[in-house]
Amino acid sequence: MTTTGSDGGVPLLGCVADDFTGATDLANTLVKNGMRTVQLLGVPDAATPVPAADAVVVALKSRTIPVADAVAQSVAALDWLRVAGAGQFFFKYCSTFDSTEKGNIGPVAEAMMERLGSRFTIACPAFPENGRTIYKGHLFVGDLLLSDSSMRHHPLTPMSDGNLVRFLGRQTKGKVGLVPIATVASGAKAIQGAFGELQEDGFSIAIVDAVTDRDLAAIGEACAGLALVTGGSGVALGLPANFRGQGRLADGGGADALPAVAGAEAVISGSCSPATLAQVARFADHAPLFAIDPLALAEGRDLVGEALDWARGRLGKGPLLVSASAPAAKVAEVQKRLGVMEAGELVEKAMAAVAKGLVSAGVRRLVVAGGETAGAVVGALRIRGLRIGREIAPGVPCTVSLGEPPMALALKSGNFGDADFFMKAFRTMP
Ligand code: ADP
């Protein structure tokens, strides 16, 4: 890891992401808009050198852990970023607002505000390029209201309310308001005016409507003076221009020229989203697939050992796939038998152990599908940081791990990417 040098300076933007694929998604947006970005995995400790980058994203796995733990980790990451010298902060969560009635989005946002002495922030998960738009405070996934989309069946955070003002309001102590699309369409000054009025009326967080990248750029501009911005990766696209306008960010930055990484190729899939199911089906047409059955795991079968034995003779002859991905009805059956969190953890642990075994056997080019799954895998591999390179699909960049041995990784949030994503990832990776 590089330490801050004369050309490195201190990071302008310090980010905390509630899962690993979300963190790479945010890093991807910042890179595309000209900020050199490094992602650190887990709360850095005092000995962690500050990377020479315009933005640092600390990736946590805090989306579905108990609220108090999510708050503690997020504040610890924020404190590290403040000591590192960042002047503005971003809390990144999923563009489908993955959370429950208890949190963790609201409590984490409020704890970060409190730490920063900030009285107002926004919550804007819009990501139009991936079909996530917000209109009159309601989040749409493609043409469907969030609560009518496949997110209502998510294994860990089923989303049953598309009204974000109401939904976030259940998670927060403070009042949640709305900046409507008509205001957003009028530009940054109008949006800032709305922030001021909302604060006067006692609101501390505003959902902000956004249906296009133009809206997000205006919202980003309006957020220049906020200590904390919260949202999906989309709203971060407007932030680099603020730093450029202040003369603090040079033109021409962005993606790292990543070193080439040679080695065997594998995909680990633990996402059960429709996009991932289509990718697994497409990939299995060309590549060998080993399926992980959670019920067999629960009965004590050594599927990790079986998967690794299966993989050993196949590695290096083309990419292979180990997958637990299953359609909603099957997931529901497994959850009924094992419990929701228990099933998730059991599968994540198995996928992480498979990944560790595959890397020991020579895999150096790895694609992981699923946010929680990616967190478990990267944790097991003890990867501490990632350099961010070119984009594979909206929201998913190529990355290369810091430390030895370097690995080429593509960490994909469940719903992202077309059906041929896995092949495309191997073609795009350095
Ligand atoms: P996404 O990015 O699509 O949300 P995640 O990896 O974050 O994917 O979440 C998927 C969760 O579902 C993980 O906890 C994973 O372990 C769990 N899971 C994967 N396959 C199954 C299955 N067949 N049955 C039950 N749970 C599963």
Side-chain angles (χ1 to χ4, degrees), residues 18 61-66 100 104 154 156-157 341 348 372:
D18 72 353
K61 193 172 180 303
S62 55
R63 185 169 293 170
T64 56
I65 63 177
T100 68
N104 295 335
H154 189 276
L156 304 176
T157 49
M341 288 301 166
E348 284 172 37
E372 297 294 326

Side-chain angles (χ1 to χ4, degrees), residues 166-336:
R166 182 170 59 202
F167 189 70
L168 181 59
R170 291 195 200 110
Q171 298 179 10
T172 56
K173 289 182 274 183
K175 266 176 33 173
V176 178
L178 173 69
V179 180
I181 194 69
T183 306
V184 172
S186 303
K189 286 235 152 46
I191 300 168
Q192 274 172 343
F195 290 170
E197 283 167 26
L198 283 168
Q199 282 184 78
E200 276 170 27
D201 292 341
F203 292 93
S204 54
I205 304 186
I207 300 292
V208 186
D209 280 352
V211 295
T212 64
D213 279 358
R214 203 165 148 254
D215 296 334
L216 290 175
I219 296 165
E221 189 183 340
C223 289
L226 295 185
L228 177 71
V229 179
T230 90
S233 62
V235 73
L237 70 81
L239 299 179
N242 297 336
F243 299 117
R244 214 169 279 121
Q246 296 158 6
R248 298 162 74 199
L249 179 66
D251 287 332
D256 256 348
L258 299 178
V261 177
E265 297 181 326
V267 181
I268 300 269
S269 179
S271 160
C272 299
S273 69
T276 303
L277 294 176
Q279 289 156 1
V280 167
R282 174 73 64 88
F283 195 68
D285 285 343
H286 313 285
L289 161 73
F290 187 97
I292 299 282
D293 171 6
L295 294 178
L297 273 179
E299 282 162 14
R301 204 167 127 195
D302 179 19
L303 283 181
V304 173
E306 288 179 33
L308 293 175
D309 287 343
W310 168 88
R312 229 157 255 132
R314 292 176 170 84
L315 281 178
K317 296 176 187 157
L320 54 80
L321 165 65
V322 178
S323 167
S325 304
K330 264 194 145 169
V331 172
E333 195 189 315
V334 167
Q335 291 181 332
K336 215 169 131 199

